[in-house]
Amino acid sequence: MHAGMIHYKTIEEIELIRESSLLVAKTHAELAKHIRPGLDTLYLDRLAETFIRDHGASPAFKGYQGFPYSLCISPNEVVVHGFPSADPLKEGDILSIDCGVLLNGYYGDSAYTFAVGEISEAKKRLLQITHQCLMKGIDQLLAGNRLGDVSWAIQQHAEQAGYTVVRELVGHGVGRMLHEPPELPNYGKPGRGTPVQDGLVVAIEPMINMGRRFVVQGRDGWTIKTADRKPSAQYEHTVAVMDGKGEALSTFAYIEEALRNNKHNTVIIR
Ligand code: MG
Ligand code: MG
């Protein structure tokens, strides 16, 4: 799926990917207004699809290789690619929501793990460390570095905290395609892999497990869970290399604003 040449983007293309990524960020913020115990996640999926279409875009995941929904909804031990469901959210759940849009011919892709009501201290720490992994990865996206430096920074931070990194799923180039070269694993060796240079646009998306790193696939052919059923978290930004360094094109700022105005939720990361 990721084989082939890397397409380095022009500034004009990066600005279009930024627009797509900001629409993803605003879609997440719409969801953040509503997340609370008792809500079902099919509701969130409909909300996201309507919001995306109202902004002249289409949900990137719906129909992608047959995926049936606009959002990937992955609670607790679900790592990624979970289906929205009619089951009500429960106090203490963590909920990873991955969203992508196609706008003006370019994709944006971002994921955020939410806390549903009050969550345990152990889950708070998992969210904080996973978010730090993403930011440390972005910090290594520097001209002169290689993608292995990004991968290593993520792995190092997760493992130092006593967590593990999912290896079966990886970050990726983003542009005219949702997934394009290069692949960007969340584990690796410094100094190896694709050189970082201006025009590279990648989705960095660490999936960090509280327990062991192993995952299993559900019978629906999509849902990926931790094998030990311990919680997993994910944060993802679409990031462009400009003037020699990585700049996130997606943002969590709108989500944080929405969470501060939602009495059922608290901002865990920051
Ligand atoms: Mg994503
Ligand atoms: Mg992605």
Side-chain angles (χ1 to χ4, degrees), residues 109 172 203 205 236:
D109 186 7
H172 51 90
E205 48 178 309
E236 175 184 27

Side-chain angles (χ1 to χ4, degrees), residues 5 14-15 41 50 55 61 81 131 137-138 186 198 206 249 267:
M5 277 184 39
I14 289 173
E15 289 312 314
T41 54
T50 302
H55 286 79
F61 302 164
H81 303 168
H131 178 247
I138 294 173
N186 298 298
D198 280 0
L249 302 178
V267 178

